[in-house]
Amino acid sequence: MQRIIRDTAVARAIKVLYDYQCQICGTRLETSEGPYAEAAHIRPLGSPHDGPDSASNLLCLCPNHHVLFDHGGLAVQDNFDLIGYPGRLQIHGRHQIDLACVQYHRERYSPLIRGEGSITPPRLQKGNKCRHELSSVRCNAWGARHRYSVTPHDC
């Protein structure tokens, strides 16, 4: 088994460039250890994707949008409008994103966004209430929001 070694300095630089704010919703998570965000590869690393571990293939996302992005809940147009989620990807003037990576991600995940793929959102069991944390995340969106709780509320 081959393990991919990521360049954590590049990931850290992207997070610093965006001040740890999600490029989709603008959320900046504060923890007792400081701000938290995730560096998401647009074109995944490793076989069969072989995406580059470079700033041009990285986004700064909150955990919710990282999961949605990685599992086909949303994608990005070439003009940075979002597919499957309202709004536009925020791009810093010093961040050059590789459109070939964006196109690869969109071609791979657009069928999932349109409901033609095999990934389906998880269902809450009867009696369990959604307690997601971000008002910018629609209640019918799905992802890891049930794991990362900041200011929960009942839906």
Side-chain angles (χ1 to χ4, degrees):
M1 183 167 118
Q2 184 179 0
R3 186 168 189 271
I4 297 170
I5 306 299
R6 295 183 55 192
D7 187 344
T8 56
V10 172
R12 193 174 317 110
I14 288 297
K15 294 181 217 180
V16 168
L17 181 66
Y18 287 94
D19 192 31
Y20 291 82
Q21 290 183 331
C22 178
Q23 288 179 251
I24 293 174
C25 67
T27 297
R28 183 176 196 263
L29 297 176
E30 295 291 340
T31 72
S32 60
E33 297 176 12
Y36 180 82
E38 297 180 355
H41 286 90
I42 302 167
R43 182 174 182 153
L45 301 179
S47 181
H49 314 288
D50 300 321
D53 193 18
S54 64
S56 64
N57 187 38
L58 284 174
L59 300 175
C60 179
L61 300 178
C62 67
N64 293 340
H65 287 118
H66 189 178
V67 169
L68 288 171
F69 188 77
D70 281 355
H71 294 279
L74 60 93
V76 180
Q77 296 279 14
D78 288 351
N79 67 357
F80 303 117
D81 285 345
L82 297 173
I83 304 169
Y85 199 84
R88 183 177 175 87
L89 188 71
Q90 300 303 306
I91 307 294
H92 191 283
R94 294 190 326 239
H95 187 193
Q96 296 295 313
I97 293 180
D98 185 341
L99 288 181
C101 293
V102 170
Q103 291 163 358
Y104 179 90
H105 180 272
R106 187 173 56 247
E107 289 167 6
R108 177 171 171 79
Y109 291 107
S110 286
L112 298 176
I113 295 165
R114 291 190 307 266
E116 299 168 5
S118 60
I119 296 176
T120 57
R123 301 270 185 238
L124 292 173
Q125 293 186 0
K126 188 176 181 180
N128 290 348
K129 292 184 178 181
C130 173
R131 292 180 52 82
H132 71 265
E133 72 282 0
L134 301 173
S135 60
S136 62
V137 177
R138 294 174 297 163
C139 297
N140 62 350
W142 57 280
R145 68 180 169 273
H146 301 286
R147 181 173 176 191
Y148 300 96
S149 181
V150 178
T151 54
H153 66 276
D154 290 327
C155 296

